[in-house]
Amino acid sequence: MELTDQPISVSKPTVAIAGAGGYVGRWFIHHFRHKYNIVALSRSKVKDNPYPEVTWKQVELYSISSTVEVLKGVDVAIYLVHSMNSSTRLNQGSFEDTDLLLADNFSRAAHINKVRQIIYLGGLLPKETGESLSRHLKSRLEVEQTLGSRSAKLTAIRASIIVGPGGSSFDMIKNLVTNLPVLMCPEWTESLTQPISLRDTLDIIDTCVGNENVFGKAIEIGNPEVISYRKMLELTAVQLGKKRLVFSVPVFSLGLSKLWVGFFGESPPQLVSPLVESLKHTLTVSEELKFKEKHIDYLSYEESVRAALDSDIELKNPSFYPLGKVKNTVRSIQRMPNPHGDSATWVAHRYNIWLPTFFKFWINGEMLESGEIVFYLLWSKKPMLQLTLIPDRSEVNRQLFYISGGWLVQRFDHGWLEFRGVLDNRYIISAIHEFVPRLPWLIYINTQAKIHLWVMNRFKKYLENRVN
């Protein structure tokens, strides 16, 4: 896979890549490591770096302070994070709410560090007016809006399937063709889209880096050829030299489609489920949003497949120290509608009043002179849960509390609770991070963990239904 060489400036911009260990990130590093000062971000610490010109930094994107630290001195940040595997044993939160929180952390950190531009690689959106988005596409759009909500200028690049060696979506198509002599395709495979080669995608991202013409813009990319997913299967079979009977049937339910694609496509559920839900849409490039910054001689789908199958480039990937065994830690993320536009400060204060009121025959709460908030069972003088506000890491639309004590807590130096406003304060996110419960694990997940979700759901309804 070759890319057109471009002149290297005397002063190379510093480009951070969140999601650097993924498919697009690894190929971007391979092709442009000499053109930019690349800071590659990963959750694990790098053990062996094959490219000395690339700086790898360990980051916990759930933590704003960790993200702020790794973005120091960065000019442009490329955001390739679409979801993250949990770093805790129990993760209570949808992928949409998790992605929203991570994007908000990244936007805040970029703003603090005066990062000029964020480039986000998201997905094409349906063109049919009034059509409801799938959860996957709605989440991509929310991430896009959140990343562009502060001072860093956002360039949102929206793409369909990116065809290249090692790409998860293309590998899924390739595995389906390889494993099935007869492909009885669900009806959604007749939906139209515009896939794009990895080569052309990387060229477009490179063109956007530091390019003020695309600041604050959404760009949709794809090769000019509009084809169905069924046609992609047929063309892939030709390139693989496989004789396959491919036809569509209307009998596959969405659930059955996920099982079919996941099993024969050899893909994990967290990839298959949102992808299949999105493929019911027609995902093509809008003329008004089409990439126009430079002429690109796009590879057709057949050429893209051929390039992916014939690639003889062996990526030099770093090795990482293992993260170690996941301990009994908990992360719980809930999104709550905020119809009255309340600040996170107001919501946090109201929660601390509401909780003992809601459990008036069970729980009492008080604020100590030190500023700590303590909750007790009515018949006990021993704190059940103790929260300490951290003023220098809080603001009007984000309130951060350390979980600093209580007999429900195993470690007092580890977890934190936060309330924050997101998406122009349309929602409040409540999140507990790295909480270590004192209860035995099986008892905790069947009691305290479920009670917490129930309580937050009741508080959510309170915020929705209260009268100003």
Side-chain angles (χ1 to χ4, degrees), residues 70-83:
V70 297
L71 290 184
K72 288 181 177 177
V74 168
D75 301 303
V76 176
I78 300 175
Y79 193 80
L80 303 174
V81 178
H82 297 313
S83 61

Side-chain angles (χ1 to χ4, degrees), residues 112-185:
I112 291 170
N113 282 297
K114 296 181 172 59
V115 173
R116 292 185 65 218
Q117 179 192 25
I118 297 175
I119 296 175
Y120 171 56
L121 183 60
L124 287 175
L125 299 177
K127 305 304 175 287
E128 298 87 344
T129 58
E131 184 172 357
S132 60
L133 296 177
S134 69
R135 292 174 60 203
H136 179 60
L137 292 177
K138 182 180 179 182
S139 176
R140 293 285 187 93
L141 183 58
E142 287 183 339
V143 168
E144 180 180 307
Q145 293 168 341
T146 302
L147 290 172
S149 63
R150 295 181 175 85
S151 60
K153 303 300 182 183
L154 178 70
T155 301
I157 301 174
R158 301 171 182 168
S160 177
I161 290 176
I162 299 174
V163 183
S168 55
S169 296
F170 173 66
D171 279 351
M172 184 170 64
I173 293 172
K174 182 176 67 173
N175 291 335
L176 285 171
V177 172
T178 301
N179 293 331
L180 293 170
V182 177
L183 288 104
M184 188 171 59
C185 299

Side-chain angles (χ1 to χ4, degrees), residues 224-241:
E225 177 187 17
V226 179
I227 62 174
S228 68
Y229 297 99
R230 182 171 65 85
K231 186 65 174 179
M232 290 166 62
L233 291 168
E234 293 173 344
L235 295 175
T236 302
V238 172
Q239 294 302 318
L240 286 170

Side-chain angles (χ1 to χ4, degrees), residues 413-427:
D413 61 342
H414 205 55
W416 71 96
L417 164 70
E418 64 171 321
F419 293 88
R420 70 167 76 185
V422 294
L423 291 174
D424 295 325
N425 230 30
R426 295 202 306 272
Y427 302 99

Side-chain angles (χ1 to χ4, degrees), residues 201-460:
T201 303
L202 294 175
D203 193 3
I204 290 169
I205 295 174
D206 173 51
T207 303
C208 291
V209 171
N211 184 347
E212 295 185 1
N213 292 334
V214 297
F215 283 9
K217 291 185 178 181
I219 298 168
E220 297 189 342
I221 64 173
N223 89 71
E225 177 187 17
V226 179
I227 62 174
S228 68
Y229 297 99
R230 182 171 65 85
K231 186 65 174 179
M232 290 166 62
L233 291 168
E234 293 173 344
L235 295 175
T236 302
V238 172
Q239 294 302 318
L240 286 170
K242 305 284 187 180
K243 291 185 177 180
R244 294 293 184 254
L245 177 61
V246 184
F247 59 94
S248 297
V249 293
V251 295
F252 275 66
S253 67
L254 190 62
L256 188 57
S257 294
K258 292 176 184 178
L259 291 173
W260 178 79
V261 174
F263 182 78
F264 293 105
E266 301 177 17
S267 301
Q270 61 267 31
L271 170 65
V272 171
S273 183
L275 181 62
V276 170
E277 288 177 10
S278 301
L279 298 186
K280 65 182 180 181
H281 301 294
T282 294
L283 301 176
T284 53
V285 174
S286 299
E287 181 62 32
E288 61 272 20
L289 297 179
K290 187 167 65 175
F291 179 74
K292 300 172 183 175
E293 283 303 297
K294 64 178 288 188
H295 172 74
I296 293 181
D297 187 14
Y298 289 97
L299 295 181
S300 68
Y301 180 75
E302 289 179 276
E303 292 169 331
S304 302
V305 171
R306 196 176 307 126
L309 296 176
D310 295 344
S311 176
D312 57 0
I313 299 176
E314 186 174 344
L315 286 182
K316 296 179 181 179
N317 296 317
S319 59
F320 298 93
Y321 288 102
L323 283 170
K325 185 179 178 181
V326 176
K327 299 177 182 178
N328 286 357
T329 53
V330 177
R331 176 169 288 109
S332 188
I333 302 170
Q334 285 82 44
R335 181 198 312 216
M336 299 175 287
N338 188 23
H340 302 290
D342 300 313
S343 69
T345 300
W346 187 93
V347 173
H349 180 69
R350 180 59 56 170
Y351 178 76
N352 294 329
I353 296 173
W354 173 86
L355 186 63
T357 303
F358 182 70
F359 289 101
K360 58 185 176 181
F361 298 113
W362 293 87
I363 294 175
N364 188 24
E366 66 174 319
M367 179 173 285
L368 305 179
E369 292 183 1
S370 61
E372 293 175 323
I373 299 166
V374 184
F375 298 104
Y376 305 88
L377 290 176
L378 287 182
W379 57 84
S380 173
K381 293 184 178 180
K382 188 175 182 181
M384 178 177 66
L385 182 67
Q386 183 171 301
L387 304 173
T388 302
L389 177 67
I390 310 301
D392 62 342
R393 295 177 61 186
S394 299
E395 57 185 66
V396 171
N397 267 325
R398 187 193 184 225
Q399 292 285 287
L400 176 68
F401 301 85
Y402 284 153
I403 301 172
S404 53
W407 53 261
L408 287 175
V409 185
Q410 179 67 37
R411 289 185 59 175
F412 304 151
D413 61 342
H414 205 55
W416 71 96
L417 164 70
E418 64 171 321
F419 293 88
R420 70 167 76 185
V422 294
L423 291 174
D424 295 325
N425 230 30
R426 295 202 306 272
Y427 302 99
I428 295 289
I429 283 185
S430 167
I432 292 175
H433 302 275
E434 304 294 340
F435 171 67
V436 183
R438 185 179 294 274
L439 289 174
W441 187 253
L442 288 179
I443 295 176
Y444 169 78
I445 61 176
N446 287 294
T447 56
Q448 187 181 342
K450 292 183 177 180
I451 291 172
H452 172 73
L453 288 180
W454 178 73
V455 168
M456 295 313 299
N457 187 53
R458 294 304 297 248
F459 184 58
K460 171 184 173 181

